[in-house]
Amino acid sequence: MAEQRSGGSAADDGGGVAPEHVLVVFPGYHRPWATWINQRLEAHGVRATLQRWDPPREVPLEDSLSDLLLARGQVLLVLNDWFFQLGPRPAGEWNDVLRGFIASRADRFAAVNLTNRPLLPATAVLEPVSLWGVGEEEAEARLLSRLGIGPRRSGGRRVPPGVSVRYPDTPPEIWGEIPRRNPRFTGRDDLLAELQERLMDAERGNAACTLLGMSGIGKTQIAAEYAHRFSPDYDVIWWVNSDDRNIQRDRFGELAAELRLPTGNDPGERIRAVREALRRGDPHSRWLVIFDGWDDTDGAQVMLPQGPGHVLITSRNRGWGDYTDVLEIPSFDRAESTAYLMRRASHITAPQADEVAAEFGDVPLPLVQAAAWLGESGMEVPEYLRMVRDGRLSTVEDAALGDGYPNASLTSWSILINRLRRSQPQAIDVLSLCASFAPGRIPLGLVRAYPQADLPEDLRWMATDLPAWTRALDTLVNYSVLTRETRGPAANNAEMAPHQESVHMHRLVHDIVARLTDGEHREAHRKAVRTLLAEADPGNPLDSRHWPRYAELLPHITPSGALSSRNPRVQTAVLNCLRYCYRSGEFRAGAQLAEQIRDAWSTFMDPLDQPMLDLTTQQGNVLRSFGRFREAYDLDLAQRERLNASEPRNEHGSLLSGSAIASDLRFLGQYQEAEQLQRQVLGEAQRLLGETEFSTLVARHNLGVVLRSLGRYREAQELDAESLVRCERVLGSRHAHTLSTSNALAHDLRLLGQYREALARQEANVRVHVQVLGPQHLQTLFARTQLALCRRREGGFQQDLGATMAALLEQLEQVHGRGHYITLAAINNYANYLREHGDLDQARELVTEAEAGYRSLLGPAHAVATGVLANTALVMQASGERANALAILEAALAGLTSSVGSDHPWVLGCALNTAAARNFNGRVADAAELSRDTLRRARHVLGNEHPLTLSSQVALATDLRGLREVEEAGKLEEDALLTLTRTLGAQHPHTLSARQRNRPYWDFEANLG
């Protein structure tokens, strides 16, 4: 298979006699070198063609070489010791051909050598020039000299800056934890070429491909080989282990530091920053991100980067076809199977290799293990196959493993493990310990990092005997049971210290090893693992600097048996992992973990034991943040009932429980009950802890949130202003909670109609958020959404506000998903903006989505779900569907009045819209009646100068004009215009709209607090 590339003219501009054309012949493994050689030849005016070469073993070597000579000019062989293993060929065939066929045609052949290992003696006839270990300039000079190419010719193609192929010995600028290249990687050349073609030909922004196949088929090896083979095409290559969602998010977020993006340690913040940088292609547009082992598509929209680069996924889940191109990975073809076996076990024949390949169905993983066994042991194939087919050697039932995996492989693994028991028992200890971790990445170095841990007697050698430790790991790596992993760029080949070492165990290998290793010590080993996890617990999940460590520990909590441990230190580590899930925004993982902890602890722990109380607090936090409000309420209510019935009374527990229930009630729309309970909580906190304790500050902040939800904006503003002063004095002006309180105060000011003051405060607040927490932190993101709403209400930022709101919506979706209540709020607000600016189709689509989302999340009777109906009606009304809009608004008005009372600002706003709808439908007298009542209530609740009050006044004037009550209408309109001009300014959209006698409206800002 040839890759055609045309160079410049062959005319010589001085210098030696150069070839007219060069055919660059290379094994696929050395594509980076062949690509670089090709470009250097073209730059010097020599036409060149790339030809990947892997001649079939059954075709005589002379025939395959003769085919190469059909090309004109010189044949340049790109050599190393691997080149002569292609096939592989019978011993002596290459030497014979080199001495005969090639020697007689030496003028047509040339070679470069890429290794310092010895080649076949007869290779001397090719006079290969060594490019191993030299710099780019020297390598180019040697290449050109070997081919007799003089100075650059006039026809040479000058390569534009930034397009030049990178010298193969120079890794990409960012090279992130790519598995070390497998020197025994076999075949798959056509598949790799197709993969490259699909990625290169994809539409910009959608170059994503999933390698799909069963376990053990070689997906990870193909992805790693692609990264190495095509590395010259990229400036950033980043590998993301995706077996576990938390590790995946942590690893992907680590790219932020490599890209020098200004972020904190919050995983969501770093992920958003990375995705935005990749989307822009700044600082690098040629990037490749590989997600290895990503089987759950739920987080696809949040994690998948888009932009000018490429995404590669390995998975068993066919659902990826909805998100990416899919490339099915088949088993080896028979030639690849036999070639691999014969290279690894050089003593076996082609027919014997064929028989072994057939036994394992050409599936790469068991073939790798079989080849390792045959190569290491030197056993003859007939004996090996007899052992494989003899079930007497298996220590487990030979049941099907599923997923297309050959049954015979269990026996094959049994043979290996039995041999290791005799020759290297310490390797079996390591295997048994690995089986007590989760599959995938295993932080095995914890054994050496915490030698004080109480290890069982059979494992203590791991912490004290470094040579034995190294020998055992080397053995398992050699037998392809484990692979070593590194942290940081792999290009420097720096070895990790033993206490930092991690290994990777394939899920299927983990399953097999768990079945076949001795179960006698399994429980002791699981106890050792959970002890190590507890030792490795940083102890402070609130500190985002520790989140990468928690992400590493989290997958191993369940398989180690930590959930059932009665050891207080292990229980603390488990709870800290749950706290990490809550603090880092990993709500889905946290909800699952909390349920697992509860199931385990309920079997041996009293509900009022302190760990169970702490669990309930954290589980409630996670459920509430995840949008599962009713579950959180039921959980917290049951805890309070138990606490109230207990003796003696646990005052601190009751305080936390009351605070949680107050938050639950607020989210459930029971605002009056929430206020009553929140005031009790604040009083208890002041009595028990004092005014300056953090819990008291939080209780005061939460009361402000409840007052805002009740529509009592002035009370909320006064309380939040006082809270801000206290927070600045106790915590400092740059503390996260202080910034959150400042957000609340700006929110109050905006709802009070003090738009300029709200905007000025929020602009300053966002600047500090960015400085302290980073631009992509969850709290910063919320502050930026509040800033966008301030700008919309202030009226002077309309031109670019739509793009800002769309970008914020996209980021919130990445963080929380489309159906989360925070994302739904952004959808609703953006729909309001689009309706206001005439994009009725998209506004209708978004507001319909928000309405359905809130109804599903909260139920149709919730005040917020009802309020969004008013926005739906506004879109319909603007589209000319006036009768339907009126029906919806009347229903929304009745529903909101029932939920929150007739004086709530939400009801007043909905009444303003309903009066307009009555007017538009010809019911002018009914409209005037409602407008007059709305104005009276608005003046009482919000004051005479609030924008909603003035809108109600303008609306009443409009209705009165319709009833020909011109004098009163004129007075109302004139007074409203004077007040609007004085409070908002003559050029504010509200003022201009009123002057033009446009009917005012109110749109609902959905906010659950």
Side-chain angles (χ1 to χ4, degrees):
M1 175 176 170
E3 303 175 38
Q4 301 294 330
R5 302 196 181 197
S6 298
S9 167
D12 200 340
D13 191 33
V17 178
E20 174 186 0
H21 171 267
V22 175
L23 181 69
V24 182
V25 179
F26 65 99
Y29 196 80
H30 282 312
R31 179 190 177 276
W33 278 101
T35 304
W36 177 81
I37 289 169
N38 178 81
Q39 189 188 69
R40 300 328 304 149
L41 294 177
E42 289 184 343
H44 284 266
V46 176
R47 289 198 311 110
T49 303
L50 291 179
Q51 177 141 333
R52 193 182 72 236
W53 200 58
D54 188 5
R57 187 174 63 250
E58 59 273 13
V59 176
L61 192 51
E62 287 191 8
D63 291 352
S64 296
L65 290 167
S66 294
D67 290 342
L68 298 179
L69 294 178
L70 295 175
R72 291 175 297 167
Q74 200 89 8
V75 176
L76 180 69
L77 305 180
V78 180
L79 301 180
N80 71 340
D81 47 339
W82 177 258
F83 190 94
F84 298 109
Q85 295 182 42
L86 293 174
R89 299 281 165 179
E93 184 178 358
W94 260 111
N95 269 326
D96 292 343
V97 170
L98 287 166
R99 293 188 182 107
F101 181 85
I102 289 182
S104 64
R105 297 163 180 80
D107 59 321
R108 294 292 309 280
F109 288 97
V112 295
N113 179 18
L114 304 179
T115 182
N116 66 339
R117 291 187 290 271
L119 301 179
L120 295 174
T123 309
V125 70
L126 291 166
E127 299 180 13
V129 60
S130 176
L131 304 186
W132 186 85
V134 300
E136 184 171 12
E137 288 188 16
E138 176 63 19
E140 182 173 353
R142 293 185 183 187
L143 168 68
L144 299 178
S145 175
R146 176 64 184 87
L147 293 173
I149 301 172
R152 184 190 303 272
R153 309 183 207 177
S154 58
R157 186 181 69 182
R158 295 188 179 275
V159 180
V163 179
S164 177
V165 173
R166 190 173 47 250
Y167 186 56
D169 275 358
T170 305
E173 184 169 333
I174 297 176
W175 178 258
E177 206 168 320
I178 316 303
R180 294 177 182 178
R181 196 171 193 184
N182 181 1
R184 298 188 176 100
F185 186 87
T186 293
R188 306 294 201 179
D189 286 341
D190 291 340
L191 192 150
L192 285 162
E194 180 180 354
L195 174 58
Q196 187 214 20
E197 183 177 332
R198 290 194 186 195
L199 290 173
M200 292 295 182
D201 292 347
E203 179 184 351
R204 178 187 168 97
N206 292 302
C209 188
T210 298
L211 303 181
L212 182 66
M214 68 179 187
S215 296
I217 205 67
K219 302 182 296 293
T220 297
Q221 287 292 321
I222 293 169
E225 177 61 20
Y226 180 89
H228 287 279
R229 186 171 296 192
F230 295 96
S231 61
D233 297 341
Y234 301 99
D235 299 316
V236 176
I237 303 181
W238 196 254
W239 188 277
V240 181
N241 287 322
S242 301
D243 302 88
D244 178 86
R245 183 173 184 269
N246 293 286
I247 290 178
Q248 177 196 50
R249 286 172 57 81
D250 176 58
R251 177 62 188 152
F252 185 53
E254 287 178 1
L255 182 53
E258 298 295 329
L259 294 173
R260 295 182 174 84
L261 304 179
T263 67
N265 289 320
D266 174 63
E269 175 190 357
R270 292 184 298 175
I271 287 168
R272 294 189 292 279
V274 168
R275 290 187 81 225
E276 179 62 18
L278 296 180
R279 185 189 65 79
R280 295 194 315 266
D282 180 19
H284 299 284
S285 61
R286 302 196 314 163
W287 51 261
L288 169 67
V289 178
I290 301 171
F291 295 94
D292 181 42
W294 193 357
D295 288 332
D296 184 0
T297 62
D298 285 349
Q301 299 293 357
V302 177
M303 292 290 291
L304 269 183
Q306 294 179 317
H310 298 162
V311 177
L312 187 56
I313 297 167
T314 72
S315 182
R316 297 171 294 157
N317 187 347
R318 292 188 175 276
W320 280 110
D322 296 335
Y323 303 93
T324 70
D325 190 11
V326 169
L327 183 58
E328 295 261 6
I329 305 302
S331 297
F332 275 155
D333 62 38
R334 185 53 52 85
E336 290 172 331
S337 297
T338 56
Y340 183 83
L341 287 163
M342 293 172 69
R343 275 195 290 270
R344 190 78 190 269
S346 58
H347 66 287
I348 70 175
T349 65
Q352 289 173 333
D354 187 83
E355 192 175 2
V356 174
E359 182 71 26
F360 294 108
D362 295 298
V363 178
L365 185 61
L367 283 175
V368 166
Q369 192 269 321
W373 167 265
L374 289 165
E376 293 287 334
S377 68
M379 182 180 291
E380 293 300 326
V381 166
E383 181 184 357
Y384 174 74
L385 288 177
R386 278 196 301 273
M387 295 174 69
V388 168
R389 293 162 182 163
D390 184 356
R392 290 176 300 168
L393 289 175
S394 180
T395 59
V396 298
E397 293 183 7
D398 200 12
L401 292 177
D403 204 18
Y405 200 78
N407 293 345
S409 63
L410 261 182
T411 306
S412 174
W413 281 92
S414 179
I415 295 170
L416 171 63
I417 288 174
N418 285 339
R419 178 180 180 180
L420 289 177
R421 280 200 182 97
R422 294 190 298 270
S423 64
Q424 180 62 279
Q426 289 172 322
I428 297 297
D429 292 341
V430 173
L431 275 184
S432 180
L433 187 64
C434 287
S436 297
F437 286 91
R441 185 186 184 90
I442 298 174
L444 201 55
L446 294 179
V447 178
R448 297 193 61 80
Y450 301 101
Q452 73 274 20
D454 186 19
L455 297 175
E457 186 175 352
D458 64 309
L459 298 184
R460 288 175 189 165
W461 65 269
M462 295 183 184
T464 58
D465 192 342
L466 179 57
W469 166 268
T470 303
R471 190 164 55 248
L473 286 183
D474 287 344
T475 298
L476 295 172
V477 169
N478 288 340
Y479 278 107
S480 303
V481 180
L482 303 175
T483 55
R484 280 193 171 94
E485 290 199 345
T486 59
R487 300 293 281 181
N492 57 18
N493 290 321
E495 294 293 335
M496 304 299 291
H499 69 279
Q500 298 172 303
E501 197 154 22
S502 291
V503 298
H504 190 277
M505 180 180 277
H506 189 281
R507 182 194 64 82
L508 197 53
V509 174
H510 184 277
D511 184 54
I512 292 171
V513 166
R515 294 170 183 238
L516 295 178
T517 51
D518 188 0
E520 179 184 348
H521 302 296
R522 179 57 47 79
E523 184 49 44
H525 291 181
R526 294 178 76 213
K527 180 180 179 182
V529 169
R530 53 185 179 258
T531 301
L532 290 168
L533 296 177
E535 291 284 351
D537 174 15
N540 186 8
L542 276 67
D543 188 340
S544 60
R545 292 172 296 181
H546 297 316
W547 290 353
R549 170 49 67 90
Y550 281 112
E552 184 176 48
L553 300 181
L554 186 60
H556 307 289
I557 290 292
T558 300
S560 70
L563 300 182
S564 301
S565 175
R566 303 186 182 221
N567 183 327
R569 187 162 184 177
V570 174
Q571 293 172 358
T572 298
V574 169
L575 280 177
N576 280 341
C577 285
L578 180 58
R579 291 186 179 99
Y580 151 75
C581 291
Y582 168 57
R583 291 290 177 175
S584 66
E586 297 291 343
F587 304 133
R588 184 183 302 277
Q592 293 172 348
L593 177 61
E595 193 60 38
Q596 292 171 343
I597 299 171
R598 183 168 297 279
D599 288 345
W601 285 5
S602 295
T603 62
F604 63 88
M605 198 179 292
D606 188 276
L608 294 178
D609 286 350
Q610 191 59 49
M612 285 291 280
L613 296 176
D614 293 341
L615 169 62
T616 300
T617 299
Q618 297 306 318
Q619 188 173 11
N621 288 339
V622 168
L623 291 172
R624 199 177 306 114
S625 300
F626 199 25
R628 291 159 60 175
F629 308 127
R630 178 59 62 179
E631 291 177 63
Y633 175 72
D634 292 342
L635 181 74
D636 294 330
L637 188 63
Q639 171 132 311
R640 185 173 69 169
E641 290 173 352
R642 286 191 295 267
L643 286 166
N644 288 342
S646 67
E647 291 293 341
R649 186 168 182 267
N650 184 332
E651 291 186 318
H652 183 69
S654 296
L655 176 65
L656 292 176
S657 178
S659 179
I661 293 172
S663 295
D664 297 330
L665 290 170
R666 186 179 76 243
F667 280 108
L668 290 170
Q670 300 177 38
Y671 302 126
Q672 293 180 344
E673 297 90 336
E675 182 201 6
Q676 180 180 1
L677 183 54
Q678 190 62 52
R679 288 191 183 279
Q680 293 177 8
V681 168
L682 176 58
E684 285 294 295
Q686 291 168 327
R687 181 180 66 84
L688 291 173
L689 306 173
E691 290 286 357
T692 60
E693 279 297 310
F694 185 73
S695 295
T696 308
L697 297 175
V698 171
R700 186 182 298 278
H701 173 91
N702 288 345
L703 180 57
V705 177
V706 177
L707 292 172
R708 239 187 339 273
S709 300
L710 284 164
R712 288 151 58 181
Y713 302 147
R714 178 61 64 188
E715 290 179 65
Q717 183 264 330
E718 292 171 353
L719 181 66
D720 287 336
E722 180 186 352
S723 293
L724 182 60
V725 171
R726 292 174 184 268
C727 289
E728 288 176 338
R729 185 174 65 246
V730 176
L731 304 174
S733 61
R734 296 165 70 87
H735 190 279
H737 183 71
T738 305
L739 297 178
S740 181
T741 304
S742 186
N743 270 337
L745 181 57
H747 194 173
D748 299 330
L749 292 169
R750 175 166 56 79
L751 294 176
L752 285 167
Q754 300 175 34
Y755 299 144
R756 291 175 187 158
E757 296 91 331
L759 177 61
R761 171 168 290 280
Q762 195 61 11
E763 284 181 332
N765 197 27
V766 167
R767 283 195 295 271
V768 181
H769 269 82
V770 171
Q771 294 168 4
V772 175
L773 301 176
Q776 298 298 325
H777 191 278
L778 285 178
Q779 189 170 313
T780 306
L781 192 54
F782 177 76
R784 289 166 56 202
T785 62
Q786 291 297 305
L787 177 59
L789 294 174
C790 287
R791 286 175 170 168
R792 181 177 177 226
R793 297 303 182 195
E794 196 276 337
F797 296 84
Q798 298 301 310
Q799 187 171 4
D800 61 347
L801 188 57
T804 299
M805 296 181 79
L808 286 168
L809 172 56
E810 181 182 356
Q811 292 176 62
L812 286 168
E813 183 182 356
Q814 292 174 17
V815 175
H816 299 295
R818 195 76 178 179
H820 193 275
Y821 64 92
I822 293 178
T823 311
L824 291 174
I827 292 172
N828 174 74
N829 293 332
Y830 187 38
N832 289 337
Y833 173 87
L834 291 171
R835 184 208 68 245
E836 188 176 57
H837 288 78
D839 191 345
L840 298 182
D841 289 340
Q842 190 178 1
R844 182 188 293 267
E845 181 181 331
L846 290 178
V847 78
T848 300
E849 180 183 357
E851 180 191 329
Y854 276 120
R855 190 166 56 247
S856 173
L857 186 68
L858 305 172
H862 195 288
V864 170
T866 306
V868 177
L869 283 173
N871 295 335
T872 302
L874 288 178
V875 175
M876 298 174 70
Q877 187 165 269
S879 302
E881 303 170 43
R882 291 184 169 181
N884 290 336
L886 174 59
I888 292 176
L889 282 167
E890 294 282 12
L893 178 59
L896 280 174
T897 303
S898 174
S899 297
V900 295
S902 58
D903 288 340
H904 196 292
W906 294 351
V907 175
L908 299 176
C910 190
L912 175 72
N913 294 342
T914 306
R918 290 178 180 180
N919 187 307
F920 293 149
N921 281 273
R923 296 169 51 189
V924 182
D926 291 340
E929 180 183 357
L930 181 57
S931 292
R932 193 178 295 280
D933 181 66
T934 303
L935 176 58
R936 179 182 60 81
R937 292 179 183 280
R939 284 172 170 168
H940 172 70
V941 173
L942 299 171
N944 294 339
E945 297 184 351
H946 192 281
L948 181 53
T949 304
L950 296 172
S951 291
S952 301
Q953 189 169 328
V954 171
L956 177 58
T958 302
D959 294 330
L960 292 173
R961 272 197 305 272
L963 295 173
R964 305 195 191 289
E965 298 179 21
V966 179
E967 183 177 355
E968 183 183 1
K971 290 180 180 179
L972 285 170
E973 184 178 67
E974 181 181 4
D975 178 68
L977 281 170
L978 287 172
T979 309
L980 282 169
T981 301
R982 177 167 50 81
T983 57
L984 298 182
Q987 299 303 311
H988 192 280
H990 285 358
T991 308
L992 295 174
S993 181
R995 185 171 290 119
Q996 295 164 5
R997 290 188 171 174
N998 295 323
R999 183 93 193 197
Y1001 59 84
W1002 167 86
D1003 49 42
F1004 178 73
E1005 285 183 13
N1007 193 334
L1008 292 179

